[in-house]
mmCIF file of all heavy atoms in Angstrom:
data_model
loop_
_atom_site.group_PDB
_atom_site.id
_atom_site.type_symbol
_atom_site.label_atom_id
_atom_site.label_comp_id
_atom_site.label_asym_id
_atom_site.label_seq_id
_atom_site.Cartn_x
_atom_site.Cartn_y
_atom_site.Cartn_z
ATOM 1 N N CYS A 89 -5.309 -1.954 -20.784
ATOM 2 C CA CYS A 89 -4.801 -2.818 -19.710
ATOM 3 C C CYS A 89 -5.673 -4.007 -19.567
ATOM 4 O O CYS A 89 -6.836 -3.957 -20.039
ATOM 5 C CB CYS A 89 -4.695 -2.046 -18.458
ATOM 6 S SG CYS A 89 -6.274 -1.383 -17.805
ATOM 7 N N GLU A 90 -5.177 -5.092 -18.959
ATOM 8 C CA GLU A 90 -6.041 -6.193 -18.665
ATOM 9 C C GLU A 90 -6.156 -6.315 -17.168
ATOM 10 O O GLU A 90 -5.382 -5.609 -16.428
ATOM 11 C CB GLU A 90 -5.363 -7.504 -19.215
ATOM 12 C CG GLU A 90 -5.329 -7.526 -20.736
ATOM 13 C CD GLU A 90 -4.576 -8.765 -21.292
ATOM 14 O OE1 GLU A 90 -4.358 -9.690 -20.556
ATOM 15 O OE2 GLU A 90 -4.254 -8.669 -22.428
ATOM 16 N N MET A 91 -7.092 -6.963 -16.651
ATOM 17 C CA MET A 91 -7.393 -7.029 -15.173
ATOM 18 C C MET A 91 -7.593 -8.479 -14.736
ATOM 19 O O MET A 91 -8.181 -9.255 -15.448
ATOM 20 C CB MET A 91 -8.603 -6.209 -14.847
ATOM 21 C CG MET A 91 -8.339 -4.778 -14.751
ATOM 22 S SD MET A 91 -9.847 -3.882 -15.112
ATOM 23 C CE MET A 91 -9.484 -3.163 -16.632
ATOM 24 N N ASP A 92 -7.179 -8.748 -13.557
ATOM 25 C CA ASP A 92 -7.497 -10.022 -12.895
ATOM 26 C C ASP A 92 -7.438 -9.804 -11.404
ATOM 27 O O ASP A 92 -7.127 -8.703 -10.955
ATOM 28 C CB ASP A 92 -6.425 -11.060 -13.379
ATOM 29 C CG ASP A 92 -6.972 -12.522 -13.188
ATOM 30 O OD1 ASP A 92 -8.029 -12.700 -12.516
ATOM 31 O OD2 ASP A 92 -6.395 -13.407 -13.730
ATOM 32 N N PHE A 93 -7.765 -10.857 -10.618
ATOM 33 C CA PHE A 93 -7.818 -10.685 -9.230
ATOM 34 C C PHE A 93 -7.318 -11.910 -8.447
ATOM 35 O O PHE A 93 -7.453 -13.047 -8.923
ATOM 36 C CB PHE A 93 -9.327 -10.529 -8.779
ATOM 37 C CG PHE A 93 -9.987 -9.294 -9.303
ATOM 38 C CD1 PHE A 93 -10.676 -9.266 -10.488
ATOM 39 C CD2 PHE A 93 -9.883 -8.074 -8.543
ATOM 40 C CE1 PHE A 93 -11.149 -8.103 -11.007
ATOM 41 C CE2 PHE A 93 -10.429 -6.954 -9.062
ATOM 42 C CZ PHE A 93 -11.044 -6.932 -10.261
ATOM 43 N N TYR A 94 -6.591 -11.645 -7.415
ATOM 44 C CA TYR A 94 -6.329 -12.672 -6.404
ATOM 45 C C TYR A 94 -7.234 -12.444 -5.232
ATOM 46 O O TYR A 94 -7.647 -11.304 -4.967
ATOM 47 C CB TYR A 94 -4.894 -12.469 -5.903
ATOM 48 C CG TYR A 94 -3.760 -13.208 -6.601
ATOM 49 C CD1 TYR A 94 -2.642 -12.506 -7.075
ATOM 50 C CD2 TYR A 94 -3.837 -14.615 -6.826
ATOM 51 C CE1 TYR A 94 -1.654 -13.189 -7.708
ATOM 52 C CE2 TYR A 94 -2.765 -15.256 -7.439
ATOM 53 C CZ TYR A 94 -1.679 -14.555 -7.893
ATOM 54 O OH TYR A 94 -0.671 -15.171 -8.521
ATOM 55 N N LYS A 95 -7.526 -13.500 -4.542
ATOM 56 C CA LYS A 95 -8.293 -13.320 -3.314
ATOM 57 C C LYS A 95 -7.440 -13.908 -2.137
ATOM 58 O O LYS A 95 -7.119 -15.084 -2.271
ATOM 59 C CB LYS A 95 -9.704 -13.983 -3.419
ATOM 60 C CG LYS A 95 -10.548 -13.757 -2.186
ATOM 61 C CD LYS A 95 -11.958 -14.233 -2.452
ATOM 62 C CE LYS A 95 -12.812 -14.344 -1.184
ATOM 63 N NZ LYS A 95 -13.271 -13.113 -0.663
ATOM 64 N N LEU A 96 -7.168 -13.112 -1.151
ATOM 65 C CA LEU A 96 -6.488 -13.552 -0.006
ATOM 66 C C LEU A 96 -7.465 -13.617 1.161
ATOM 67 O O LEU A 96 -8.397 -12.814 1.208
ATOM 68 C CB LEU A 96 -5.311 -12.633 0.354
ATOM 69 C CG LEU A 96 -4.196 -12.504 -0.719
ATOM 70 C CD1 LEU A 96 -3.106 -11.631 -0.107
ATOM 71 C CD2 LEU A 96 -3.648 -13.905 -1.086
ATOM 72 N N SER A 97 -7.208 -14.379 2.166
ATOM 73 C CA SER A 97 -7.992 -14.457 3.393
ATOM 74 C C SER A 97 -7.761 -13.120 4.089
ATOM 75 O O SER A 97 -6.642 -12.515 4.005
ATOM 76 C CB SER A 97 -7.549 -15.583 4.278
ATOM 77 O OG SER A 97 -6.132 -15.499 4.516
ATOM 78 N N SER A 98 -8.731 -12.612 4.821
ATOM 79 C CA SER A 98 -8.633 -11.331 5.397
ATOM 80 C C SER A 98 -8.433 -11.482 6.885
ATOM 81 O O SER A 98 -8.030 -12.495 7.444
ATOM 82 C CB SER A 98 -9.837 -10.472 5.150
ATOM 83 O OG SER A 98 -10.912 -11.000 5.942
ATOM 84 N N TYR A 99 -8.605 -10.392 7.628
ATOM 85 C CA TYR A 99 -8.478 -10.394 9.047
ATOM 86 C C TYR A 99 -9.575 -11.168 9.723
ATOM 87 O O TYR A 99 -9.603 -11.241 10.969
ATOM 88 C CB TYR A 99 -8.584 -8.906 9.608
ATOM 89 C CG TYR A 99 -7.339 -8.113 9.506
ATOM 90 C CD1 TYR A 99 -6.269 -8.446 8.626
ATOM 91 C CD2 TYR A 99 -7.179 -6.930 10.258
ATOM 92 C CE1 TYR A 99 -5.189 -7.683 8.591
ATOM 93 C CE2 TYR A 99 -6.072 -6.190 10.148
ATOM 94 C CZ TYR A 99 -5.035 -6.598 9.355
ATOM 95 O OH TYR A 99 -3.945 -5.752 9.283
ATOM 96 N N GLY A 100 -10.581 -11.641 8.998
ATOM 97 C CA GLY A 100 -11.688 -12.281 9.570
ATOM 98 C C GLY A 100 -12.565 -11.231 10.241
ATOM 99 O O GLY A 100 -12.806 -10.202 9.685
ATOM 100 N N ASP A 101 -12.929 -11.522 11.465
ATOM 101 C CA ASP A 101 -13.862 -10.527 12.113
ATOM 102 C C ASP A 101 -13.118 -9.621 13.091
ATOM 103 O O ASP A 101 -13.705 -8.975 13.949
ATOM 104 C CB ASP A 101 -14.985 -11.274 12.869
ATOM 105 C CG ASP A 101 -15.995 -11.790 11.860
ATOM 106 O OD1 ASP A 101 -15.863 -11.439 10.676
ATOM 107 O OD2 ASP A 101 -16.886 -12.542 12.278
ATOM 108 N N GLU A 102 -11.838 -9.662 13.073
ATOM 109 C CA GLU A 102 -10.982 -8.867 13.995
ATOM 110 C C GLU A 102 -10.412 -7.675 13.411
ATOM 111 O O GLU A 102 -10.358 -7.438 12.269
ATOM 112 C CB GLU A 102 -9.920 -9.860 14.598
ATOM 113 C CG GLU A 102 -10.456 -11.106 15.155
ATOM 114 C CD GLU A 102 -11.398 -10.934 16.319
ATOM 115 O OE1 GLU A 102 -11.180 -9.871 17.089
ATOM 116 O OE2 GLU A 102 -12.303 -11.680 16.525
ATOM 117 N N LYS A 103 -9.787 -6.858 14.315
ATOM 118 C CA LYS A 103 -9.103 -5.693 13.834
ATOM 119 C C LYS A 103 -7.548 -5.898 13.738
ATOM 120 O O LYS A 103 -6.851 -4.994 13.419
ATOM 121 C CB LYS A 103 -9.353 -4.437 14.774
ATOM 122 C CG LYS A 103 -10.783 -3.971 14.722
ATOM 123 C CD LYS A 103 -10.914 -2.557 15.224
ATOM 124 C CE LYS A 103 -10.496 -2.315 16.613
ATOM 125 N NZ LYS A 103 -11.356 -3.029 17.565
ATOM 126 N N ILE A 104 -7.125 -7.098 14.181
ATOM 127 C CA ILE A 104 -5.730 -7.383 14.082
ATOM 128 C C ILE A 104 -5.496 -8.574 13.200
ATOM 129 O O ILE A 104 -6.247 -9.586 13.135
ATOM 130 C CB ILE A 104 -5.044 -7.608 15.514
ATOM 131 C CG1 ILE A 104 -5.970 -8.430 16.356
ATOM 132 C CG2 ILE A 104 -4.747 -6.270 16.145
ATOM 133 C CD1 ILE A 104 -5.302 -9.026 17.548
#
Side-chain angles (χ1 to χ4, degrees):
C89 57
E90 295 177 13
M91 280 153 248
D92 202 347
F93 295 90
Y94 270 126
K95 184 171 164 75
L96 297 185
S97 55
S98 74
Y99 279 17
D101 284 353
E102 303 299 328
K103 292 203 298 297
I104 41 164

